[in-house]
Structure formats: C-alpha cells, structure tokens
Amino acid sequence: MPDATDTLIPIRRALLSVSDKRGLVELARGLSERGVALLASGGTRSALLDAGISAEEVSDFTGSPEILGGRVKTLHPKVHAGILARRDVPEDLDALTSLGVPPVDLVVVNLYPFEQTVAKPGVTLAEAIEKIDIGGPSLIRAAAKNHAFVTVLTDPDQYPGLLEQLERHGGTTLAFRRGKALEAFRKTGHYDRAILSYLIGSDSNSDSEQAGRPESFPDELSLRFERRTVLRYGENPHQRAAFYINPGTSGPNLATARIRHGKELSYNNILDLDSALRLIRSFDRPASCVLKHNNPCGAAVGTTLAEAFERAYDGDPVSAFGGIVGLNRVVDLATAERMVTPGRFIECIVAPGFEPDAFEALTTRPSWKNSVRLLDLGAPIGPGSPPPVGMDLRRVEGGLLVQDWDTMQADPLAEGRVVTKRPPNDRELADLSFAWKVCQAVKSNAIVFAAEGQVVGVGAGQMSRLDSVEIASRKAGPRAAGAVLASDAFFPFRDGPDAAAAAGITAIIQPGGSRRDEEVIAACDEHGIAMVFTGRRHFRH
C-alpha cells in the first residue's frame, strides 16, 4: 500500500464563501499564517478585513462584479476551472495556464440557511426562495467531485480538523479529503430534499393544487437526520438505540434543549419527555404534568408553578414516583422545594429554565443529585409556541407511516356543541377544556377525569372504553364526585356514561360520531350529565 504521505495535497490557495461566520476568522488566520492565498466573496471578505486578514475579492479575481443583487458572484469559469482542474491531466493544467487561473486547493462554503428560514412562523414563499443557494452547492459539488486534489469544508465544526491536518502533515490526506467530500454530498443532497419538501408542502401558492396540504405527500420520501447521541439501549437492554435530530429544527423541543444536570437520557426518557412537553405547552396558566410509561398519571394548572406541580403529583402519587415531570414555567425555588419533599422521586424534569437557587436545590440534595436529570428548553413555551415542523413519522416492518401532527385547538370548546338538555356550567366548561387537552396525551382508549384544573383519574390503553372509565373511576375514588370526563373518541354504547354517572361525573366532552350517539345522549340526560361534542378525535396509538 502507498504511504499516506503519497496522497498529501498542500494547500496554497483557498476560496472562502460562507453564510455562517462561526470559526471563519480563526480558520482564515490559521491558513494565512501558513502562507495560503485567500480568495473570498462579498460578506465573507468583509468579515476577514474587519479582523485584519487580507483576502482577494472574487469579483476582482474574475473581473466580473457581483450582479443581480449578489445572486451571481462565484458562478464564473475562472472560479470553477481552478477547482475542477485535475492536477494529473496536463491538458487541464495547460488550460489553467492559458486562462491565468491558479488552482484552488481548498473550498470552504456553507449554504444559505434555508431550513432555518422556512421554520420561522409566517415566512413567505418569496422569503424562502431567496434562501435557496445556487452558487454554494455548485462550489461544494465541484470541490467534492475533484476531492482527489481539492479539500472541501461545509461546516465550521470541520475547521479544526483541517488545521490539525496542516499542522501534522503539511497538507491533507486523501482519506481526509474523501471523508469531507462524502459529507459535502450529504449536505447538498439534504439541502435539495429540504427545498423540495418545502415547495411540495407549501400552501403559499393557492393557484396550484400541488402546493396545498392535501397534496403534500411526494411519490418518494427522502429523510435526513443527524445522530445526536448513541443511547445506552432502547426500550429494553437487548435493543440498540440512538437519538437522531432534524438538522433544521428550531423552537423549544428535545433536539434544541440542553441537559443541565444528570446522566444521559435513555430511549424511554426521550419518549416520555417529548409527550410531557407536547402536553404542557397547551396551557397558558402555570401547568405541570407527570408521565409514566408515556401516559400522564397527573396534570394540573395552578396560580403558581409550585401549586401546579403539587396538584399534578397528587393526582396519582403512587404512579408519580419515578416519573417524568414537565413544567411550562421557569422552575423557581418554591417549586423545587416541593419536588425534593422526602419520599418523592422524579427521574427527569423538563422546563423552560431553572432559577439558580432552584437548580441548586434540585442538584445538591443527597437523594436527588445523582439521579435526577434536568432538561432546559431555553425558551418559553405555551399555546403560542411554534408547531412541530415536518410530518409525524412511524416505522412499520417494511415501510413507513406518515401523517400530520395531531395538534390541539387553542380553544377546544370554540367549535364544540352542547348536545344534552343541560349545558355545562362555567366551572364544568373550564374543566372540560382542561381535561380535553390532557386526554390528547393519553394512549387510546383514553379517559380522563378532572376537577378544578387537576387530573384525578386516568384510564389509558385499554381495549374497551368502558374498562378505561372504570380504571379512571377507581383511580379517582371519591374525587370523581363533581368531576368531568374527557374521552378521546366517541362512546360506542351508553355503558361508559352510565359508569361515569355512577362514579359522580357531572359533565363529559367527547368527539361524537357514533351510530348510537342518541342513545349516549339519552343516558346523559337521564343522569343530568352535560355533554359537549367536539367533532374532533384524538386517538394516540
């Protein structure tokens, strides 16, 4: 085998054109100190000059000024010839000489932030299109194609590795260049798929049927996610697992959150934390939930976050032990003190932040500091939080199911209708709205009992809706008297409302739509139960 040094390519000239300026100055300074001539486009060159680093302007090199407001600047034969020329083909080198073009040994480009732009609420189609990079992918692909002689970098995280290559070898090895070329092709491939997905799914162009949501499923689906971490194991110890993130994700979610304390999250932790986050962001008031095995065993709102947590934990304190807690406010000391009450144990806490004294309380108590994980979302959450981007994906053997995310109405009662003789009173209406939001997070068949903004009983994942009612009734006990009930789907028979009435339920919210709706309504009228049909189901399998 040839020695690694046989494949070394020194870097004498570099082209830099980046939208993300992170690490640019350090890279350029490192190159300049090694005698590398720098060629840079508009904003990149300005950043270098501000840092006292000399670089030739691309337009001066080509003799062609930037035109069309900067849309055309690096799309020039002199630029691409310097990148694409094969150093072992004499005719290519003769062509460079005749043009007076020196070879380019390094291309450093990152692309316009298309995905970050389209992830912003309210972005227009015109704004999105202006973030479709043309020159950048062309430079990247040219350099990656000619990686036998040219090094291409597409991410600031790659810069230190290049400088290390130059320090150790005086040039780049073929293995290094090939690795970066593969990453470059992945980058441009993902970029094109992101543009295609956005344009297919965009509803900005009302004149095109293909632009609307009903037609947003392409014939072929290409996905790209970046590995964040390899997990200890999956749902069970014999299963391998890893956590991958959507590179374009934004807003408060598990991909953008930061672990402030505790060991790495497990596969099951991540599933539960995601469900907790999606639940608590539904509430304006201070809210908390406790999840076990991907079902909320407790949830509540309160006048303070401490009160909301206490009421959520007390919804089912036996099940809450070792649970996952979600909060929609920055955690203060009063809330932290409630959490570390002797006899309580919480595995993970996700919140928009932690006040310093609350963080200290949660991470220094002897029975807590080695076990609890604190996940900081770094941003406020609530009904106004950005909705999840993309589609909801689920693997099945041999394929993939794709659907819209199941989003909750800001006001579940706005489109609901009262179908019983007695309408709900104001207290019942507030609890019905609360219970309906919680019910969305419960596995089907889902039943939630709630009173005064607190979950008092949950029946989840049963094959019979009646079984779920009976489980919720048993969990609630005497607290069911005067409580309300939320059901994620319609009651197929009157036995469910009959059991609810026996438990003390006074109002029900459900989608309706059963062939026996009239029978169910009649049962509620017999028991004096008020009932609201939402017309919207929230199955969660």
Side-chain angles (χ1 to χ4, degrees):
M1 294 180 63
D3 187 85
T5 56
D6 291 345
T7 66
L8 286 176
I9 297 293
I11 294 177
R12 301 184 178 91
R13 189 171 183 81
L15 170 62
L16 296 85
S17 181
V18 298
S19 59
D20 183 351
K21 304 298 191 293
R22 290 181 299 122
L24 171 66
V25 170
E26 292 78 6
L27 172 65
R29 184 169 288 119
L31 294 172
S32 185
E33 289 172 351
R34 290 171 172 82
V36 178
L38 304 181
L39 180 65
S41 62
T44 302
R45 181 171 180 265
S46 295
L48 297 180
L49 294 179
D50 290 343
I53 301 172
S54 177
E56 184 180 7
E57 169 66 59
V58 168
S59 60
D60 292 338
F61 169 71
T62 62
S64 298
E66 293 184 9
I67 59 174
L68 305 182
R71 279 190 167 197
V72 179
K73 48 193 173 188
T74 57
L75 295 171
H76 194 280
K78 292 181 69 172
V79 172
H80 286 272
I83 298 171
L84 286 166
R86 293 160 292 186
R87 303 335 188 234
D88 59 351
V89 176
E91 292 82 0
D92 284 8
L93 298 180
D94 290 343
L96 292 187
T97 300
S98 65
L99 290 170
V101 174
V104 174
D105 308 304
L106 170 67
V107 172
V108 181
V109 174
N110 49 62
L111 303 173
Y112 293 168
F114 179 83
E115 288 180 290
Q116 294 88 332
T117 298
V118 299
K120 296 176 182 177
V123 67
T124 66
L125 180 62
E127 290 170 335
I129 286 175
E130 285 307 307
K131 290 302 180 181
I132 297 176
D133 204 325
I134 303 300
S138 298
L139 293 171
I140 290 172
R141 289 175 63 84
K145 175 178 180 175
N146 204 25
H147 69 269
F149 308 103
V150 179
T151 304
V152 58
L153 302 182
T154 55
D155 190 288
D157 291 339
Q158 299 170 339
Y159 301 169
L162 171 74
L163 295 177
E164 182 182 352
Q165 282 270 306
L166 299 182
E167 185 68 26
R168 291 177 60 188
H169 305 300
T172 60
T173 64
L174 179 60
F176 182 84
R177 295 192 301 277
R178 180 174 174 80
K180 295 301 174 283
L182 291 175
E183 292 181 43
F185 282 124
R186 289 192 190 101
K187 181 82 69 176
T188 57
H190 171 74
Y191 196 73
D192 287 340
R193 289 192 295 271
I195 294 168
L196 176 62
S197 297
Y198 172 77
L199 293 177
I200 289 175
S202 172
D203 55 7
S204 298
N205 184 358
S206 59
D207 294 332
S208 170
E209 292 184 4
Q210 295 301 315
R213 289 290 181 191
E215 303 295 334
S216 61
F217 299 100
D219 293 336
E220 295 183 4
L221 186 63
S222 297
L223 304 173
R224 176 176 176 264
F225 292 83
E226 295 178 354
R227 193 180 72 192
R228 166 64 59 83
T229 183
V230 174
L231 304 173
R232 286 177 295 158
Y233 51 80
E235 285 184 283
N236 301 290
H238 64 275
Q239 294 172 269
R240 296 182 302 163
F243 180 36
Y244 285 78
I245 66 169
N246 185 333
T249 193
S250 61
N253 58 51
L254 297 189
T256 59
R258 180 166 62 102
I259 299 176
R260 293 278 305 278
H261 177 79
K263 57 188 177 182
E264 289 296 319
L265 300 173
S266 73
Y267 182 98
N268 294 330
N269 291 155
I270 292 172
L271 286 177
D272 286 339
L273 286 164
D274 182 62
S275 295
L277 173 57
R278 291 169 62 188
L279 172 54
I280 57 171
R281 76 194 319 166
S282 297
F283 299 103
D284 280 319
R285 295 177 60 190
S288 177
C289 66
V290 184
L291 265 80
K292 284 292 286 290
H293 300 292
N294 218 228
N295 277 302
C297 59
V301 293
T303 55
T304 66
L305 191 65
E307 180 189 15
F309 165 75
E310 189 72 35
R311 300 182 77 223
Y313 199 94
D314 287 346
D316 185 352
V318 173
S319 299
F321 186 87
I324 304 292
V325 170
L327 304 133
N328 68 348
R329 298 287 195 278
V330 173
V331 180
D332 56 11
L333 180 60
T335 306
E337 292 287 359
R338 302 283 185 103
M339 292 180 178
V340 298
T341 297
R344 289 180 174 172
F345 168 60
I346 296 169
E347 183 138 345
C348 303
I349 302 169
V350 59
F354 298 85
E355 292 183 359
D357 51 1
F359 183 84
E360 182 179 2
L362 292 170
T363 57
T364 58
R365 301 297 168 93
S367 61
W368 277 72
K369 62 181 181 180
N370 295 324
S371 54
V372 70
R373 302 167 177 91
L374 305 184
L375 201 67
D376 190 337
L377 295 168
I381 55 173
S385 298
V389 299
M391 306 292 283
D392 185 7
L393 312 174
R394 183 178 295 189
R395 284 299 307 268
V396 295
E397 188 172 350
L400 181 74
L401 288 170
V402 181
Q403 66 174 351
D404 290 325
W405 292 99
D406 181 21
T407 55
M408 172 62 67
Q409 311 100 305
D411 180 4
L413 301 175
E415 299 177 6
R417 61 187 179 94
V418 177
V419 295
T420 48
K421 294 177 181 177
R422 182 179 77 81
N425 59 38
D426 290 345
R427 178 193 62 80
E428 291 170 331
L429 284 171
D431 280 338
L432 288 172
S433 177
F434 168 81
W436 184 245
K437 293 176 180 178
V438 176
C439 194
Q440 182 197 23
V442 178
K443 295 284 189 177
S444 303
N445 287 313
I447 296 291
V448 172
F449 284 14
E452 303 292 343
Q454 178 190 28
V455 168
V456 296
V458 175
Q462 300 303 304
M463 287 66 74
S464 161
R465 194 159 297 276
L466 176 61
D467 288 343
S468 290
V469 174
E470 292 175 342
I471 291 172
S473 176
R474 185 174 72 250
K475 287 284 187 179
R479 296 179 299 175
V484 306
L485 176 155
S487 174
D488 65 340
F490 62 65
F491 285 100
F493 305 100
R494 63 170 290 164
D495 54 2
D498 286 339
I505 292 296
T506 65
I508 292 175
I509 186 168
Q510 58 131 321
S514 169
R515 289 184 298 171
R516 295 185 175 85
D517 274 349
E518 293 306 318
E519 176 185 319
V520 172
I521 293 169
C524 288
D525 284 335
E526 289 176 23
H527 297 300
I529 292 176
M531 186 160 62
V532 174
F533 280 2
T534 65
R536 185 168 183 166
R537 191 179 74 183
H538 283 296
F539 268 163
R540 184 165 182 256
H541 282 72

